[in-house]
Amino acid sequence: MSTDLRSAAQEYMIRYGGDTFPNLFRSAKGSVVIDDTGREILDFTSGQMCATLGHNHPAIVEAVRRAGEEAFHLFSGMIPEVVAELAARLATDWMNPPLQKSIFVNTGSESNEVALRIAKMYTGGYEILAVGGSWHGVTGGTSAVSFASDRKGYGVPVPGVFVMPEPNEYRPYIKGLSAEDSALACLEIGLKMFDMASSGRRAAIVIEPIISAGGVLVPPRSYMQALRRAADERGMLLIFDEAQTAFGRIGERSASDFFGVVPDIMTVSKTLGGGIPLAATITSGKIEEDVHQKGFTFYTSHVSDPLPARVGLAVLETIQREDLIQRARSMGGYLREQLQELGKRYEAIGDVRGEGMLLGVELVQDRESRLPHHQLGALTTQRCFELGLSMNIRRRPERGSVWRIAPPLTISKADIDRGLAILEQALRESLDELAQR
Ligand SMILES: Cc1ncc(COP(=O)(O)O)c(C=O)c1O
């Protein structure tokens, strides 16, 4: 372990929010990361939900090597062959018509900036309707439409943003109804409020089809279909932010497939790059032609870079070759069952939800009150880490304490079992400790 580097991190780095571990980290392979003491830690979050194939999958390592022989980066006006190939592959194998045209950028935030700019230019409007609990990024436009993060302290957000209550089966805003009716009622009220406040210059509705940072909330299918109709009726584009849901994570090609709803614009990022910064915004030929005619620009230093595109192709090929969509379903099903079993033994597990290998486990003080158990969440997450399991907890006073569990789709059953055993031990010990306080 290098104490020098630990103090260098403290002395020379800007702290960027979230909980960072006291240790530094050295390397990662498959479902395991190694810290600066050489200790192995099982990664139940696929890094920042990006390492869907596991860390440093040989296909990705090979793609990076190959890019080293071809090109890492080019003048943005030179479209690399590999980028054309990736665009074609996305359109033919992964998207539903009419989604056909892609632009390749680097981060999820950027891909959503592209989507918002296209929607504004296409419609001539500027109003964006977003959903509570959402996270679309940290850049100007995307932070304005995000409601899971702290918005205070950064000045005036982009105007024209409206928010509607998110569907939350476990903590419904509108109580006493079925999950589906409550979700639809949230939408109805949200739309009424929006219509009341709108200046008429409407542009888009943006949603994460599974609201992840907001607590891994899965809306009913009818909600997403109603959202599609709501956008159409108002002349707005529907944007799906599939940063976390595309390319197998939820046991489908995309959330668009899962919900049976095709958006006007889809954004993808984390799960396309396999750990390398790659994101894309995909829309129809009609929309692309329209905004192109109007002078659409999103010209960055790294747009259409060949290195990430080579990796993206490798990611898509590996998902198909290793049948990872099916694996997300089967291993995700197993993981979910085991978490539900744990829920039978621990009152503190209030809810287990999600799809495929994107799961949420909500911790409560008791099942009757459903009061969030933030202390237990923090303590257990810390204990998990000490025992060799990295977990991610989302803690917000208004929407509970929720573990987001999203291991690599390639994780072995033995590693899932190992992680679950650590999780149970950590939970048991944390509950004991809290009882003694
Ligand atoms: C659904 C969703 N959209 C967008 C983003 C932003 O992506 P990035 O952090 O790559 O800018 C995130 C990141 O967590 C996300 O979860």
Side-chain angles (χ1 to χ4, degrees):
M1 167 178 76
S2 162
T3 42
D4 282 358
L5 288 180
R6 284 194 189 187
S7 30
Q10 283 190 3
E11 202 167 344
Y12 300 116
M13 288 189 67
I14 292 179
R15 286 162 281 188
Y16 44 78
D19 301 324
T20 45
F21 294 107
N23 315 32
L24 298 183
F25 293 84
R26 195 163 284 158
S27 61
K29 182 86 191 142
S31 303
V32 158
V33 296
I34 310 223
D35 76 0
D36 55 358
T37 64
R39 197 167 71 97
E40 283 196 1
I41 296 141
L42 200 52
D43 183 0
F44 260 29
T45 66
S46 305
Q48 196 63 34
M49 315 271 157
C50 301
T52 6
L53 308 188
H55 294 279
N56 292 36
H57 189 287
I60 296 183
V61 175
E62 168 55 22
V64 173
R65 192 203 57 76
R66 187 166 163 193
E69 286 177 357
E70 296 167 344
F72 288 150
H73 162 82
L74 294 173
F75 171 60
S76 300
M78 294 178 180
I79 296 184
E81 286 180 330
V82 66
V83 169
E85 195 180 340
L86 179 58
R89 190 66 61 80
L90 276 183
T92 50
D93 291 359
W94 295 89
M95 294 294 133
N96 292 308
L99 298 179
Q100 176 193 346
K101 293 234 174 186
S102 296
I103 175 175
F104 297 98
V105 288
N106 300 111
T107 62
S109 302
E110 257 189 295
S111 66
N112 287 323
E113 287 293 347
V114 173
L116 296 172
R117 285 163 70 112
I118 289 180
K120 288 177 185 180
M121 191 170 256
Y122 180 76
T123 57
Y126 67 96
E127 290 177 353
I128 308 288
L129 179 55
V131 176
S134 52
W135 183 295
H136 299 294
V138 293
T139 52
T142 61
S143 63
V145 296
S146 296
F147 295 93
S149 51
D150 214 336
R151 297 165 60 94
K152 296 175 184 62
Y154 306 106
V156 183
V158 175
V161 173
F162 300 80
V163 59
M164 55 184 168
E166 70 276 20
N168 183 336
E169 184 173 349
Y170 192 65
R171 298 187 181 283
Y173 284 95
I174 301 163
K175 300 179 178 57
L177 299 176
S178 71
E180 183 173 13
D181 286 347
S182 175
L184 291 171
C186 279
L187 181 58
E188 197 184 327
I189 290 177
L191 289 168
K192 280 199 170 129
M193 294 291 130
F194 170 67
D195 289 340
M196 212 184 288
S198 171
S199 71
R201 302 265 312 276
R202 298 175 285 259
I205 300 179
V206 60
I207 187 167
E208 292 161 78
I210 293 183
I211 304 160
S212 179
V216 193
L217 309 173
V218 187
R221 280 185 171 78
S222 54
Y223 177 93
M224 215 56 81
Q225 283 149 9
L227 201 62
R228 176 68 276 183
R229 284 195 300 278
D232 290 341
E233 283 160 12
R234 289 165 179 76
M236 300 169 90
L237 298 190
L238 179 61
I239 302 171
F240 274 5
D241 175 352
E242 295 226 24
Q244 297 193 19
T245 48
F247 310 121
R249 164 65 62 200
I250 62 167
E252 297 279 351
R253 286 189 313 174
S254 63
S256 169
D257 279 7
F258 176 79
F259 286 102
V261 170
V262 182
D264 299 293
I265 306 178
M266 187 191 290
T267 63
V268 295
S269 50
K270 295 172 185 283
T271 53
L272 179 60
I276 298 287
L278 172 63
T281 310
I282 306 125
T283 192
S284 66
K286 178 175 170 225
I287 293 173
E288 192 273 343
E289 181 60 30
D290 180 275
V291 296
H292 173 70
Q293 293 302 333
K294 291 172 179 160
F296 177 75
T297 307
F298 201 91
Y299 196 91
T300 73
S301 307
H302 293 289
V303 68
S304 282
D305 258 358
L307 162 65
R310 178 56 72 205
V311 170
L313 265 182
V315 168
L316 298 183
E317 281 162 13
T318 307
I319 292 170
Q320 286 169 331
R321 193 177 54 250
E322 298 187 8
D323 206 7
L324 293 182
I325 298 184
Q326 180 49 40
R327 199 174 159 75
R329 272 189 222 153
S330 55
M331 291 307 262
Y334 174 72
L335 181 55
R336 189 194 187 108
E337 263 169 41
Q338 296 304 307
L339 290 167
Q340 279 162 344
E341 280 302 313
L342 206 60
K344 289 187 189 152
R345 298 198 289 282
Y346 294 89
E347 163 95 6
I349 294 186
D351 195 28
V352 177
R353 54 184 179 250
E355 275 306 319
M357 289 272 256
L358 179 56
L359 298 173
V361 175
E362 175 140 5
L363 297 177
V364 291
Q365 297 181 25
D366 63 82
R367 289 190 186 158
E368 186 63 28
S369 72
R370 298 190 176 185
L371 282 170
H373 209 328
H374 296 306
Q375 248 188 334
L376 179 66
L379 207 59
T380 315
T381 307
Q382 186 193 330
R383 187 72 191 121
C384 277
F385 184 69
E386 288 159 6
L387 294 169
L389 174 68
S390 168
M391 297 272 289
N392 171 272
I393 188 125
R394 294 289 312 164
R395 277 176 291 156
R396 297 288 294 183
E398 70 281 15
R399 57 171 59 87
S401 214
V402 182
W403 275 316
R404 195 165 41 173
I405 303 186
L409 307 187
T410 48
I411 192 170
S412 66
K413 184 164 170 296
D415 275 347
I416 287 190
D417 288 338
R418 187 154 65 94
L420 286 164
I422 294 177
L423 182 55
E424 174 156 20
Q425 182 184 344
L427 193 56
R428 195 176 52 239
E429 291 176 2
S430 303
L431 283 164
D432 287 349
E433 188 181 326
L434 285 173
Q436 281 159 21
R437 276 186 191 175

